[in-house]
């Protein structure tokens, strides 16, 4: 496997998926629902008073890093046959492991499971859409890589 091509695809599909979910935040916030709760908290670990532009950059970077495990799953399993479903399942698992358990525990917060469904479903939906977007946007890369050819949109 071409590691450089994999990393480039992680950035490409991670940015696409990160941009796809941006409209969900104002939608859920307009409905009075919690979304993006841990972005500012995570950024505050590294920066005093993180500004919106920095939160956006962080959103893109986390998206690129988070795309890599899903790409490896799609490349090494039969999940590539169902990229949307595999991506949505990955997004749901990511939400459960990271956003609903690891981050609340790290920051000493109640978990969404303790707060209630209205706290769970906005972020869960966002993570599922994120994963699905990676699954769909990486189809050509995954197909080319599984055949052993250099993906057509990645140059050596």
């Amino acid at each position: 496997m071409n590691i450089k091509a994999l990393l480039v695809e992680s950035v490409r599909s991670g940015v696409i998926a990160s941009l796809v979910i941006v409209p969900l935040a104002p939608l859920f916030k307009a409905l009075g629902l919690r979304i993006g709760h841990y972005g500012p908290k995570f950024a505050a670990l590294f920066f005093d008073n993180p500004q919106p532009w920095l939160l956006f950059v962080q959103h893109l970077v986390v998206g690129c890093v988070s795309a890599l495990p899903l790409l490896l799953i799609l490349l090494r399993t039969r999940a590539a046959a169902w990229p949307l479903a595999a991506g949505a399942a990955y997004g749901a698992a990511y939400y459960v492991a990271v956003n609903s358990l690891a981050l609340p525990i790290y920051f000493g917060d109640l978990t969404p499971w303790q707060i209630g469904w209205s706290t769970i479903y906005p972020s869960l939906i966002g993570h599922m859409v994120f994963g699905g977007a990676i699954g769909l946007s990486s189809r050509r890369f995954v197909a080319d890589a599984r055949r052993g050819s250099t993906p057509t949109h990645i140059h050596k």
Side-chain angles (χ1 to χ4, degrees):
M1 176 189 315
N2 182 334
I3 298 298
K4 179 183 175 191
L6 177 63
L7 294 175
V8 168
E9 181 59 26
S10 185
V11 170
R12 189 187 77 81
S13 60
V15 167
I16 290 169
S18 294
L19 294 175
V20 164
I21 64 171
V22 165
L24 294 177
L27 173 66
F28 285 132
K29 285 182 182 181
L31 296 172
L33 300 168
R34 187 175 100 169
I35 190 80
H37 182 72
Y38 286 104
K41 285 186 168 203
F42 186 74
L45 294 173
F46 307 100
F47 302 96
D48 292 331
N49 192 28
Q51 299 301 303
W53 69 267
L54 182 64
L55 296 175
F56 182 70
V57 170
Q58 173 186 263
H59 174 73
L60 295 176
V61 170
V62 169
C64 295
V65 171
S66 299
L68 186 59
L70 176 55
L71 291 172
L72 291 172
I73 290 167
L74 293 171
L75 288 168
R76 296 185 174 171
T77 71
R78 294 177 186 249
W82 306 280
L84 181 60
Y90 171 81
Y94 186 102
Y95 168 75
V96 169
V98 177
N99 290 70
S100 82
L101 296 173
L103 290 171
I105 290 167
Y106 178 82
F107 286 106
D109 297 338
L110 293 174
T111 69
W113 309 101
Q114 294 168 307
I115 299 170
W117 179 244
S118 65
T119 302
I120 296 168
Y121 81 86
S123 190
L124 176 61
I125 289 170
H127 283 84
M128 292 174 72
V129 170
F130 173 82
I134 293 169
L136 291 177
S137 66
S138 68
R139 287 179 301 177
R140 183 172 59 176
F141 169 81
V142 170
D144 288 349
R146 289 174 68 104
R147 278 194 307 269
S149 62
T150 302
T152 55
H153 63 283
I154 308 282
H155 303 288
K156 289 185 178 182

